[in-house]
Amino acid sequence: MSDGEDSRRAPARATQGGAAICIVGAGSSGVTVAKALKEQGLAFDIFEKGSSVGGMWRYGNDNGQSSCYASLHIDTSRPNLGYSDFPIDPSLPDFLSHEQFCAYLEAYAERFGIRERVTFRTEVSAVVPAGEGFRVRLSTGEERHYRAVVVANGHLSDPRLPDFPGTFDGLQIHSHHYRTAEPFRDKRVLVVGIGNSAVDIAVDLARGARHVFLSTRRSAWVMPKYLLGRPVDQVSGFIARRLHLPTTTTRRIMSWLVRLLAGDQRRFGLPRPAHPMWREHATLSQELLPYVGHGYITVKPNVAELRGKRVAFVDGSEEPLDAIVHATGYNITFPFLSPEVFDPDRQAGRLYRRMLSLEHPGLIFAGLVQPIGPTIPLVEIQGRWIAGVLSGAIRLPDDEVRRQEVEAHLERQRRTYLDSARYRLEVDYRHYARQMSNDLQKGVAGR
């Protein structure tokens, strides 16, 4: 057997005979990967740090990794949200609450016999390459050997905080730790950031705070969750399908429609970004602009300095504040992987088909993407692709072709999205889903 053939087939040997595959995490990624492996007859163990399935969607999850706040609703509308073979109850609202979606995940795990396969309250504490596979150490002290490890425990649990000069005397938290607005009632609160969590939290706070300020470094395009009476993702999906348009063109059309039907966001004091909408992950909010228009929320530029009980902004203005909520994103970290095995800063965007480590092909990541489009159905396809590779139904190309695929993906990213660390996990749902589906149909993964 040639070296090239050996590299193509190595992960596929992680199949029959004992629990050959380890899955880390029983959230929305872990359970669908487990289902796909089960359907291929592959033996696996799945370990969950917490006491139930649900991952980030379980409010107050005892695994300590959930960023779920009480008022959270999902931004993907119901018909586009769920797994393909387990439709969400159509009597549920357009946008599910975290509680409703967590119940859906629980039902999915029960329906396909995944819950009974999970070892709960057991953390994976180390994954170390060993021979042809990996040595996995558990929080129980036990060590097991696996041919492949699927990392599916999420990447939104290690808060990233800005490094503003000065000090602040009031309460400061990251949005990861925000749960309800009650601790901020009657206070003057600054929310730093303008992503989906930032604007959700700003609106939630504004219902009881004395006043809310929203600080943004370069602004963002804000799209309503409804357009023409329909969820905005359904409108964009209809346009793309009916006119057979690529994602970037569809998003250009959507930006025109939003400006035509919802108005110019500058009218509300929210600057237009210097870049076009199709180059970023737009922020979805039905309520932000009306709350700004009613005077409950004031938009401010970036923070210049923290000054005790006051905060100065780069436009020269200054505000007295009681609290700051930093909705400033997350570091990508996997504590059970040493930097020698996987360094997220260098390698998170350099995975073959956004899943396989180039250095350790048996180390596979599920859900380590941020799609333009829905996440859950995309991870479902990832699960089928992973099962195809590990069962031998999909043959991998040699190392050089895998590296070429990664470079082609990175070049596509550079042409499409902003040059920012936020976009290193960005993928176009339609393009990426088509790649994986073609691999599954042909039985050969390509470039």
Side-chain angles (χ1 to χ4, degrees):
M1 181 182 292
S2 70
D3 291 342
E5 288 174 327
D6 184 68
S7 69
R8 287 195 296 271
R9 299 175 65 86
R13 289 203 298 269
T15 54
Q16 311 290 348
I21 304 160
C22 170
I23 303 174
V24 184
S28 58
S29 298
V31 295
T32 196
V33 170
K35 173 180 176 291
L37 296 180
K38 182 181 178 184
E39 289 175 344
Q40 288 291 329
L42 301 177
F44 63 90
D45 290 330
I46 177 168
F47 298 103
E48 167 55 45
K49 183 179 177 182
S51 59
S52 191
V53 301
M56 67 170 289
W57 299 108
R58 178 167 294 282
Y59 184 71
N61 195 330
D62 58 5
N63 69 8
Q65 294 184 226
S66 176
S67 303
C68 204
Y69 42 93
S71 62
L72 177 63
H73 282 70
I74 295 177
D75 290 325
T76 301
S77 69
R78 175 179 34 76
N80 295 327
L81 177 62
Y83 304 110
S84 63
D85 56 357
F86 195 68
I88 297 175
D89 184 349
S91 68
L92 290 172
D94 289 334
F95 296 99
L96 273 63
S97 69
H98 59 81
E99 184 177 19
Q100 291 166 327
F101 187 63
C102 189
Y104 168 77
L105 290 177
E106 289 177 320
Y108 177 86
E110 289 287 350
R111 168 66 178 80
F112 295 107
I114 303 305
R115 184 182 177 87
E116 64 198 43
R117 303 288 295 271
V118 181
T119 302
F120 293 107
R121 299 185 180 88
T122 304
E123 182 178 1
V124 171
S125 53
V127 174
V128 180
E132 292 187 351
F134 300 88
R135 185 174 71 253
V136 174
R137 185 167 67 248
L138 304 175
S139 56
T140 60
E142 181 183 0
E143 289 192 353
R144 301 186 187 185
H145 187 273
Y146 294 95
R147 295 286 188 175
V149 174
V150 181
V151 179
N153 66 319
H155 58 277
L156 301 174
S157 60
D158 182 12
R160 183 173 64 240
L161 290 166
D163 186 20
F164 295 136
T167 58
F168 181 67
D169 294 340
L171 171 66
Q172 285 193 84
I173 67 167
H174 190 276
S175 58
H176 177 70
H177 303 291
Y178 178 87
R179 294 296 177 262
T180 72
E182 189 57 35
F184 305 91
R185 183 169 295 277
D186 298 324
K187 298 184 184 299
R188 291 169 63 86
V189 187
L190 171 67
V191 178
V192 179
I194 197 168
N196 289 327
S197 294
V199 300
D200 277 358
I201 290 170
V203 169
D204 195 35
L205 288 166
R207 298 185 179 108
R210 183 178 174 191
H211 196 75
V212 174
F213 299 88
L214 182 70
S215 170
T216 170
R217 182 174 50 184
R218 63 185 174 202
S219 195
W221 292 99
V222 177
M223 295 184 68
K225 295 178 81 167
Y226 285 94
L227 202 60
L228 300 169
R230 304 289 297 181
V232 71
D233 61 341
Q234 295 180 30
V235 175
S236 62
F238 174 81
I239 291 171
R241 289 190 301 272
R242 179 58 64 91
L243 301 179
H244 305 287
L245 298 175
T247 300
T248 53
T249 304
T250 301
R251 299 190 77 214
R252 285 189 180 102
I253 293 173
M254 291 301 296
S255 69
W256 299 334
L257 282 175
V258 168
R259 288 200 297 271
L260 176 65
L261 299 176
D264 189 334
Q265 66 186 42
R266 291 177 298 185
R267 165 72 177 74
F268 298 87
L270 187 63
R272 269 195 201 175
H275 52 270
M277 184 185 290
W278 59 269
R279 296 209 68 197
E280 75 163 14
H281 204 100
T283 296
L284 290 181
S285 177
Q286 195 70 23
E287 299 172 294
L288 176 64
L289 296 183
Y291 269 72
V292 173
H294 283 81
Y296 297 119
I297 298 173
T298 299
V299 179
K300 304 291 286 187
N302 197 29
V303 171
E305 186 179 11
L306 306 177
R307 298 176 177 172
K309 295 183 179 180
R310 305 178 71 86
V311 172
F313 300 91
V314 295
D315 63 352
S317 64
E318 189 174 312
E319 296 291 345
L321 292 167
D322 301 302
I324 301 175
V325 178
H326 297 282
T328 46
Y330 294 85
N331 301 305
I332 301 172
T333 55
F334 301 102
F336 48 87
L337 295 173
S338 72
E340 291 75 29
V341 177
F342 185 79
D343 182 352
D345 290 338
R346 291 188 299 105
Q347 297 168 285
R350 302 185 64 85
L351 298 169
Y352 177 70
R353 284 290 193 258
R354 323 293 69 78
M355 290 176 277
L356 264 64
S357 165
L358 295 178
E359 290 76 16
H360 305 284
L363 182 62
I364 307 171
F365 294 81
L368 192 57
V369 290
Q370 179 174 293
I372 299 295
T375 301
I376 303 301
L378 194 64
V379 179
E380 180 188 13
I381 304 173
Q382 282 190 329
R384 294 202 300 269
W385 190 94
I386 291 167
V389 168
L390 295 178
S391 68
I394 297 177
R395 185 166 61 90
L396 293 174
D398 62 29
D399 294 348
E400 180 57 30
V401 172
R402 291 183 222 172
R403 284 192 289 270
Q404 291 174 2
E405 190 271 351
V406 169
E407 293 304 324
H409 164 70
L410 294 175
E411 177 57 29
R412 181 185 179 90
Q413 274 191 320
R414 285 189 287 268
R415 293 197 312 267
T416 307
Y417 307 112
L418 296 176
D419 183 16
S420 167
R422 181 186 179 191
Y423 293 94
R424 61 178 161 165
L425 301 183
E426 204 78 12
V427 294
D428 175 348
Y429 177 96
R430 294 167 65 197
H431 175 78
Y432 182 40
R434 189 162 52 245
Q435 284 182 319
M436 291 187 289
S437 296
N438 287 341
D439 293 347
L440 284 160
Q441 291 169 8
K442 294 176 182 178
V444 179
R447 180 182 169 189

